[in-house]
Amino acid sequence: MNNRGLGILILVGLAVMLGFQTLYVIKETERGVLLKFGEVAVPDIEKGLHFKVPLMHVVRKFDRRILTLDSQPERFLTVEKKPLDVDFYAKWRVIDTFKFYTATNGEEARAHRLLAQRINDGLRNQFGERTVHEVVSGERDLLMVELTHKLNQIATTEFGIEVVDIRVKRIDLPEQVSQSVFDRMKSEREREAREHRSTGREQAEFIRAAADRERTVIEANAYRDAERIRGDGDARAAEIYAQAYSRDPEFYNFMRSLAAYRDSFKNKDDILVVDSEGEFFKYLNEGVNSKR
């Protein structure tokens, strides 16, 4: 390679290096500020290809997308002075590059520290005005909405940051408090169980007494109806017997004697001492005499 070719290569290399030093691109997902000797010259650079003067200008780029601050759990006190370990996260983005750069020097980690400190202060104030029940269940959503609104005003004014949302991932009781809370909840559940059992026994006794009373009434009514039916049957039978026997009284006496004989001699072990010529054996004696 001759000296001319080498010179051309050197010129091309210098041109490429100069291009890298003077040209820069702001992407769709970025925001940027142009610094001139350390001072902000252009606070919000438009997207696209731009020129700068080497050594004079410096470009600082920031992410324009929504970013996530995932903080470590912090301990806060409720209005009852009960400690709670709260794990939260926040969504934020840069909306004012000038304020963001001057407040954080364009460092995302520093922005996270400042924002986390403001959120901690806000949560401490919000938790200090509420009970454990309100924080855990009843008013958590309202608490987050109020905190997001208040913190967004502060962050926008001081840091050029828009706080999109703040959410609590979980709320835990400290270990030394958890056992006492568990014991109290256990005793409350046992008390409720005793009350339910007592109420159940009372209702069972009431139902059992009502059932016994109803059974007695049903049995009494059934016995009354049965006796009435039996009495009507006996009366009807007596009436039929009377009508039948009134037609032949002698036959009626004969049937009564047969019934008496059957009842008297049905057990072979029975011994009767009676006069054979008495009225009791009238029909038997007549049968014997007739055979003679």
Side-chain angles (χ1 to χ4, degrees):
M1 181 181 295
N2 54 22
N3 293 334
R4 182 179 179 183
L6 181 60
I8 293 174
L9 288 177
I10 293 174
L11 290 176
V12 170
L14 292 174
V16 171
M17 292 179 61
L18 183 62
F20 276 114
Q21 294 293 325
T22 58
L23 297 177
Y24 65 94
V25 176
I26 300 297
K27 301 178 183 177
E28 290 285 343
T29 59
E30 295 176 335
R31 304 183 73 120
V33 294
L34 180 65
L35 305 178
K36 182 178 180 181
F37 297 117
E39 299 291 335
V40 177
V42 181
D44 192 2
I45 306 173
E46 295 292 333
K47 297 181 290 292
L49 180 65
H50 301 277
F51 295 91
K52 66 176 181 176
V53 178
L55 303 178
M56 179 187 295
H57 292 150
V58 175
V59 178
R60 298 296 301 272
K61 299 178 182 180
F62 319 118
D63 200 329
R64 83 166 48 233
R65 294 171 295 186
I66 295 178
L67 304 176
T68 301
L69 164 63
D70 195 355
S71 178
Q72 295 295 322
E74 296 287 343
R75 181 164 298 181
F76 304 110
L77 296 177
T78 64
V79 70
E80 310 137 312
K81 304 302 179 184
K82 296 291 182 64
L84 295 175
D85 292 335
V86 182
D87 189 5
F88 65 90
Y89 70 91
K91 296 289 186 178
W92 64 279
R93 62 185 170 191
V94 178
I95 59 173
D96 189 329
T97 51
F98 177 76
K99 288 183 178 180
F100 181 74
Y101 175 76
T102 55
T104 66
N105 197 31
E107 299 175 6
E108 188 175 311
R110 185 175 180 182
H112 279 175
R113 289 194 299 272
L114 294 173
L115 191 58
Q117 182 179 356
R118 295 297 191 278
I119 295 176
N120 286 342
D121 294 340
L123 285 175
R124 184 171 291 105
N125 294 333
Q126 293 288 343
F127 276 54
E129 298 172 356
R130 290 171 170 82
T131 64
V132 174
H133 176 73
E134 292 171 343
V135 168
V136 172
S137 58
E139 299 185 5
R140 182 190 295 189
D141 292 339
L142 179 61
L143 184 153
M144 292 298 102
V145 171
E146 292 181 358
L147 180 61
T148 301
H149 178 70
K150 292 180 180 179
L151 187 60
N152 183 55
Q153 295 178 341
I154 297 174
T156 301
T157 302
E158 295 183 2
F159 311 134
I161 291 174
E162 178 189 5
V163 179
V164 179
D165 193 15
I166 301 174
R167 290 293 168 183
V168 172
K169 292 192 290 185
R170 59 184 298 169
I171 299 177
D172 294 324
L173 290 169
E175 185 175 354
Q176 61 272 23
V177 179
S178 298
Q179 187 60 41
S180 62
V181 172
F182 174 77
D183 293 338
R184 184 171 65 252
M185 292 175 62
K186 181 179 178 181
S187 63
E188 290 177 355
R189 295 300 179 269
E190 289 176 348
R191 178 181 55 79
E192 291 178 1
R194 287 193 298 270
E195 291 178 355
H196 288 310
R197 282 194 292 267
S198 176
T199 303
R201 284 193 295 268
E202 180 181 354
Q203 293 179 351
E205 291 295 331
F206 176 79
I207 294 172
R208 190 177 295 110
D212 291 340
R213 183 172 59 254
E214 186 176 358
R215 182 190 64 184
T216 302
V217 172
I218 293 174
E219 289 178 350
N221 291 335
Y223 181 77
R224 180 199 59 197
D225 295 340
E227 289 299 317
R228 185 177 62 247
I229 294 172
R230 186 179 295 108
D232 293 341
D234 292 341
R236 181 59 179 162
E239 182 183 355
I240 294 173
Y241 288 142
Q243 291 176 357
Y245 294 145
S246 64
R247 295 181 182 179
D248 190 348
E250 184 64 25
F251 178 74
Y252 173 69
N253 292 332
F254 175 70
M255 292 299 297
R256 287 185 61 189
S257 296
L258 290 181
Y261 296 154
R262 183 172 55 252
D263 292 338
S264 300
F265 303 124
K266 64 181 179 180
N267 193 342
K268 295 180 180 181
D269 296 333
D270 291 341
I271 300 176
L272 297 176
V273 180
V274 295
D275 185 4
S276 61
E277 299 298 332
E279 186 67 23
F280 183 73
F281 292 108
K282 173 183 176 182
Y283 293 101
L284 287 178
N285 291 333
E286 288 181 357
V288 173
N289 293 333
S290 63
K291 288 182 179 180
R292 291 179 181 176

